[in-house]
Amino acid sequence: HGGVVLVTQANFSDLDEGAVNMTGGTLHLIDSDIRRCRANRGPALHLSGGVATVAGSQFEENEAAVSGGAVQVDGGTLLMSSRTQLKRNRAPRGMGTSLEVSADGAASYQLPVPPAHWVFIPAGGLGATGDFDVMQLGAGRYDDDFLTPALQV
């Protein structure tokens, strides 16, 4: 429930109980791949507390039985950046095929986005911090493939 963990250039694949289940502390996941993992919620990353920073990582072909095909944020804070992508993940229809953020969680994406992808940032930026390069993601479901032109904020 505390401490700091740094994971770099790691590959997690084919795990039946998910790759990362975080309840507190701080996680820095950098230049890593999480593929073909399965869990009820958030098979790549299930965050219920703490702060998770994900940079330059790929979450692909993960499958959730309930919600959050790649990432489920039930509490705590998720910051994605540096071209992190969520691709071809699966969850039941309407249950966030890539990312699900509950009302108790927070998530954001800091530019730059992956090549050939974009996010909508209104004039003046987003968030209380006044950052012009950070997209705050509200509670809700974000479908595959995050980030894409189909993303509605």
Side-chain angles (χ1 to χ4, degrees), residues 6-152:
L6 172 63
V7 178
T8 61
Q9 298 178 337
N11 291 301
F12 299 93
S13 62
D14 302 303
L15 300 172
D16 287 328
E17 298 300 319
V20 178
N21 185 9
M22 188 172 164
T23 60
T26 302
L27 169 69
H28 300 284
L29 183 67
I30 301 168
D31 297 329
S32 296
D33 294 328
I34 301 179
R35 302 174 193 276
R36 297 181 309 277
C37 293
R38 294 161 299 283
N40 284 333
R41 292 178 170 81
L45 172 61
H46 185 196
L47 179 63
S48 57
V51 177
T53 301
V54 180
S57 297
Q58 305 289 315
F59 296 171
E60 292 187 64
E61 299 177 352
N62 298 289
E63 185 171 0
V66 178
S67 63
V71 179
Q72 177 82 30
V73 182
D74 288 328
T77 302
L78 170 67
L79 171 62
M80 295 178 286
S81 66
S82 301
R83 298 177 174 85
T84 292
Q85 284 187 287
L86 311 178
K87 301 189 304 187
R88 295 184 301 277
N89 298 289
R90 294 178 297 282
R93 183 180 171 107
M95 298 308 289
T97 58
S98 277
L99 169 66
E100 180 146 348
V101 181
S102 75
D104 293 330
S108 62
Y109 197 102
Q110 183 172 3
L111 299 177
V113 297
H117 291 76
W118 62 274
V119 296
F120 173 71
I121 298 181
L126 291 168
T129 63
D131 291 333
F132 289 92
D133 62 348
V134 177
M135 177 182 66
Q136 302 295 329
L137 303 173
R141 298 174 177 107
Y142 298 85
D143 289 330
D144 235 14
D145 293 313
F146 182 79
L147 302 159
T148 68
L151 176 64
Q152 299 290 318

